[in-house]
Amino acid sequence: MHPSLRSRLAPTAALSLATVLGLTACSTGQTSSGADASVAPVSGKISITYLQKQGDQQYFVDEAAEAKAKAAELGADLKVVNLGNDANKTVSEVQSAIAQKSNGLIIVVPDPAVGPQVVQTARDAKAALLTSDDQVCASGPSPAQCAASDLVPRIGFSGQQMGQQVGQRAAEEFKKAGWNPADTRIISGWKQDVTVCGDRVKAAKDAFDQAVPGVQNIDVATDNTPTGAQDKVAATITANPGVKHWVAWGCNDENVQGAVTALQNAGVSPNDIDGVGLGAYLACKDWASGKPSGMKAALFINGKDVGALAVQTMYDKLKNGKDFPKEAFAPTKMVDATTWQSAGVSCS
């Protein structure tokens, strides 16, 4: 959650979902009619469209699979659409879903700038709208600048809590290695117009600095892809000669994998890299190879949990008229080379 939003919301309350999802999620305790103020309960079969950015990414593949399973369990129709990174496709696919009489839309937008158009399209059609993973603002292109009342209800993870766990684990690895802050640098990589990414990175910095003060941080603007991060980090390495040790974190596994790859390609030993991923779906590939890696740990965020919770939340709204929570959070778990398999990380 964005820091400015947290200050305006009521304290977090626990929401038990064990009976429906087999997991525990947390809600802010507030509800919202958001973009669905005029949505009436559906008497017949419910039709839902789940529109995802980067639908070929393992996290979103898992999210879609569990969303389909939950929809089948509930007797609802569910169509999953891969938007890739195309903002224009987002708008056209939302319009298509409306034309196909979808009662509810769950969306992960590739670009938050399309948020107001998506919200207005759903409102005009009287279709329920719920976001998963990333925030969307009804009144402007930037969720970071959005009034709390204009944020579309969201299912996902707490950016602040995730970032805190990443920063704490990175600090543990730093201390274990016995490094000196003076010859260490931190690489923070993320797509800087994505609010939840900024929340995660800021929280990681704060948690790390509290445990290990004095390490210089370098912000690296990326496109949240492995190759994009690798290219930007390679330039950062060149611009910072003499650094002996590197800490790397970012918005997702892609940023950290890109950073670790760039560092290792530059001749930095895995022993001198403290990479902590966010997702674990790419970190696990390094660990599965059995080769030394700078990826020391990763926060496992399970897309399956978010997909199931999003569909259940949408179904409850459409079937029973239950208001959406402003936000509801799925659980997370830190894993490493010795624990990722037992934690259930998908690594295909």
Side-chain angles (χ1 to χ4, degrees), residues 92-271:
S92 64
E93 289 291 353
V94 167
Q95 293 169 338
S96 177
I98 295 298
Q100 294 171 28
K101 308 299 182 185
S102 186
N103 305 118
L105 310 175
I106 305 170
I107 189 165
V108 193
V109 293
D111 185 342
V114 301
Q117 189 171 356
V118 168
V119 171
Q120 192 59 53
T121 301
R123 281 178 176 165
D124 291 346
K126 294 182 170 55
L129 179 65
L130 180 67
T131 68
S132 78
D133 302 289
D134 298 343
Q135 288 178 318
V136 166
C137 180
S139 57
S142 173
Q145 308 299 322
C146 195
S149 59
D150 287 341
L151 287 168
V152 177
R154 180 177 78 95
I155 306 297
F157 299 98
S158 166
Q160 192 276 333
Q161 292 175 10
M162 287 192 296
Q164 183 180 52
Q165 289 176 273
V166 167
Q168 288 171 342
R169 180 56 181 263
E172 290 174 16
E173 297 292 337
F174 179 97
K175 291 178 179 179
K176 189 192 309 181
W179 295 347
N180 185 338
D183 55 21
T184 303
R185 295 292 181 272
I186 300 168
I187 292 174
S188 300
W190 81 103
K191 191 172 188 290
Q192 297 184 354
D193 62 351
V194 178
T195 312
V196 293
C197 289
D199 295 345
R200 297 171 189 179
V201 169
K202 181 183 184 303
K205 293 176 185 176
D206 291 346
F208 186 92
D209 191 57
Q210 186 173 9
V212 184
V215 181
Q216 183 179 330
N217 176 82
I218 303 171
D219 289 339
V220 180
T222 75
D223 60 1
N224 278 353
T225 68
T227 53
Q230 183 178 337
D231 290 344
K232 292 298 183 71
V233 171
T236 301
I237 297 166
T238 302
N240 289 271
V243 176
K244 293 182 179 179
H245 314 292
W246 295 87
V247 179
W249 59 57
C251 181
N252 54 17
D253 256 21
E254 283 82 353
N255 280 286
V256 184
Q257 187 193 60
V260 168
T261 300
L263 288 163
Q264 293 182 178
N265 286 350
V268 180
S269 167
N271 291 332

Side-chain angles (χ1 to χ4, degrees), residues 11-169:
T12 301
L15 173 65
S16 174
L17 293 171
T19 56
V20 292
L21 297 177
L23 58 94
T24 300
C26 291
S27 165
T28 58
Q30 292 193 353
T31 58
S32 171
S33 57
D36 60 297
S38 59
V39 176
V42 178
S43 57
K45 190 161 189 175
I46 289 172
S47 175
I48 302 169
T49 302
Y50 207 133
L51 305 103
Q52 301 173 302
K53 69 177 183 182
Q54 299 173 317
D56 56 350
Q57 183 195 88
Q58 187 62 51
Y59 171 87
F60 291 115
V61 170
D62 291 343
E63 184 178 74
E66 199 64 21
K68 291 175 183 177
K70 176 55 66 174
E73 175 190 321
L74 296 171
D77 286 334
L78 178 74
K79 179 182 179 182
V80 176
V81 178
N82 180 9
L83 301 173
N85 287 305
D86 191 336
N88 292 327
K89 185 178 181 181
T90 303
V91 175
S92 64
E93 289 291 353
V94 167
Q95 293 169 338
S96 177
I98 295 298
Q100 294 171 28
K101 308 299 182 185
S102 186
N103 305 118
L105 310 175
I106 305 170
I107 189 165
V108 193
V109 293
D111 185 342
V114 301
Q117 189 171 356
V118 168
V119 171
Q120 192 59 53
T121 301
R123 281 178 176 165
D124 291 346
K126 294 182 170 55
L129 179 65
L130 180 67
T131 68
S132 78
D133 302 289
D134 298 343
Q135 288 178 318
V136 166
C137 180
S139 57
S142 173
Q145 308 299 322
C146 195
S149 59
D150 287 341
L151 287 168
V152 177
R154 180 177 78 95
I155 306 297
F157 299 98
S158 166
Q160 192 276 333
Q161 292 175 10
M162 287 192 296
Q164 183 180 52
Q165 289 176 273
V166 167
Q168 288 171 342
R169 180 56 181 263

